[in-house]
Amino acid sequence: MRMLINVPETVVADALRGMAAAHPELTVDVEGRLVVRRDAPVAGQVGLVSGGGSGHEPLHAGFVGPGMLSAACAGEVFTSPVPDQMVRAAMAVDSGAGVLFVVKNYTGDVLNFAMAAELAEDEGVQVAQVLVDDDVAVVDSSFTAGRRGTGATLFVEKIAGALAGEGAPLERVAATARRVNESSRSFGVALSAVTTPAKGSPTFDLPPGELELGIGIHGEPGRERRPMMTSGEIADFSVNAVLDDLRPDGPVIALVNGMGATPLLELYGFNAEVQRVLTERRVPVARTLVGNYVTSLDMAGCSVTLCQVDEEMLRLWDAPVRTPALRWGR
């Protein structure tokens, strides 16, 4: 097993210790598996809490900071955090304005965040939830009931985080987060299988010369397997799958995301093909983000997420953000 780790059992703790050393602006509880803004709670602001299994970095801990998340809960690799983590996160970031849970649609996350919301409210914290379910590839899988939550999570966390930073009330932040999710669709492609530290070998079989169309971020099966395709052919298939479901009638933000092991050289080349398809389909692109943001450990591959935006959503997207993995503005 060729991995830059000590032992599989300490992978998450080691990563959190390294994050703490690199980012003093964050409070990192290694034992409790929590990452919190050091200035939390921020008076008058809704707190945003998300989380999920580790292995998708920078999602979620890399998005903690001004303009985005208030706290993130880290589960073990590809395993949901537990309700106690979520409750402690909510308590840490609640200023009295309430807390929004951003939940990807995976069974463990959904159940545990729902339980945490009840427990937090017993402690006097007002909690709202938004479920992210943007993946158009398949409905129902080994991890979900309904559509999986993938790249739109970044859009929800950024736009809702900016609105919370303006002091908007919980009801409005939650409604905007849901509107972002409803306006977003994603599709992913795997060029190689993913290897988890605990297993030490690929979690599924993807023969050389084949790819999986519609893969999930845990290695869940997609729509179909095909012989290797060119970047342009993959863009044709992926973008059209998203557009045929989303059917945008206005500008979009495009996220061209790497799955963890795909170089930026390839991702930027793939983005050129994505932009070509969008131009051919006469879809105006307001903003584009390219890079590794919602990953699957060492999987080679990519995903495309499109979010149709209005003026307010685009303004909130452009608002300043300062996190380990996403930062712009002043």
Side-chain angles (χ1 to χ4, degrees):
M1 182 170 64
R2 293 183 292 180
M3 290 184 174
L4 194 63
I5 65 173
N6 292 314
V7 293
E9 292 78 11
T10 66
V11 165
V12 176
D14 291 344
L16 290 173
R17 286 192 297 107
M19 188 171 209
H23 297 285
E25 72 276 15
L26 302 176
T27 298
V28 180
D29 179 351
V30 176
E31 183 177 348
R33 302 291 199 265
L34 290 182
V35 178
V36 184
R37 285 178 56 168
R38 188 167 290 278
D39 60 352
V42 181
Q45 289 189 16
V46 169
L48 257 68
V49 174
S50 193
S54 297
H56 305 304
E57 288 75 19
L59 193 78
H60 292 272
F63 298 141
V64 174
M68 215 160 174
L69 291 177
S70 307
C73 309
E76 294 301 320
V77 172
F78 291 178
T79 303
S80 174
V82 297
D84 283 352
Q85 291 173 264
M86 302 160 186
V87 173
R88 282 188 282 112
M91 298 287 288
V93 305
D94 180 38
S95 68
V99 173
L100 177 66
F101 284 167
V102 179
V103 187
K104 301 188 307 302
N105 188 31
Y106 296 96
T107 302
D109 290 358
V110 172
L111 294 175
N112 287 349
F113 270 104
M115 185 180 301
E118 294 181 5
L119 294 171
E121 289 181 340
D122 288 343
E123 297 294 332
V125 180
Q126 184 183 6
V127 177
Q129 299 185 65
V130 57
L131 187 68
V132 182
D133 57 353
D134 55 303
D135 186 3
V136 304
V138 296
V139 176
D140 300 332
S141 72
S142 54
F143 283 74
T144 63
R147 289 182 167 179
R148 304 175 293 213
T150 57
T153 313
L154 184 153
F155 290 146
V156 171
E157 292 175 354
K158 172 62 184 77
I159 292 172
L163 187 59
E166 294 179 352
L170 179 60
E171 295 79 7
R172 185 179 169 204
V173 175
T176 298
R178 296 186 185 106
R179 185 157 56 93
V180 173
N181 175 64
E182 292 163 1
S183 302
S184 303
R185 301 290 189 277
S186 297
F187 191 92
V189 178
L191 308 182
S192 72
V194 58
T195 300
T196 61
K199 189 171 189 293
S201 59
T203 58
F204 63 93
D205 178 42
L206 187 59
E210 294 187 5
L211 52 73
E212 180 101 17
L213 294 166
I215 195 73
I217 58 174
H218 305 95
E220 310 98 307
R223 288 187 182 181
E224 61 179 288
R225 288 189 179 180
R226 288 189 182 183
M228 188 61 197
M229 301 158 66
T230 66
S231 177
E233 291 168 338
I234 294 171
D236 285 328
F237 194 102
S238 303
V239 178
N240 283 315
V242 170
L243 292 178
D244 290 347
D245 195 290
L246 181 60
R247 300 189 179 279
D249 57 4
V252 300
I253 301 173
L255 169 62
V256 174
N257 174 67
M259 302 300 282
T262 303
L264 277 171
L265 178 71
E266 296 176 31
L267 288 177
Y268 276 116
F270 181 60
N271 180 54
E273 298 297 338
V274 168
Q275 301 292 329
R276 170 187 59 79
V277 179
L278 291 170
T279 299
E280 291 172 354
R281 292 286 299 263
R282 298 183 179 179
V283 177
V285 180
R287 303 288 186 273
T288 302
L289 186 64
V290 179
N292 289 287
Y293 294 101
V294 183
T295 64
S296 184
L297 290 171
D298 64 341
M299 183 188 289
C302 58
S303 64
V304 176
T305 304
L306 301 179
C307 176
Q308 181 172 330
V309 291
D310 55 27
E311 289 185 6
E312 182 190 42
M313 290 162 65
L314 190 58
R315 177 184 66 79
L316 293 168
W317 176 260
D318 287 340
V321 59
R322 192 166 71 253
T323 72
L326 205 68
R327 55 179 59 213
W328 56 67
R330 299 182 64 180

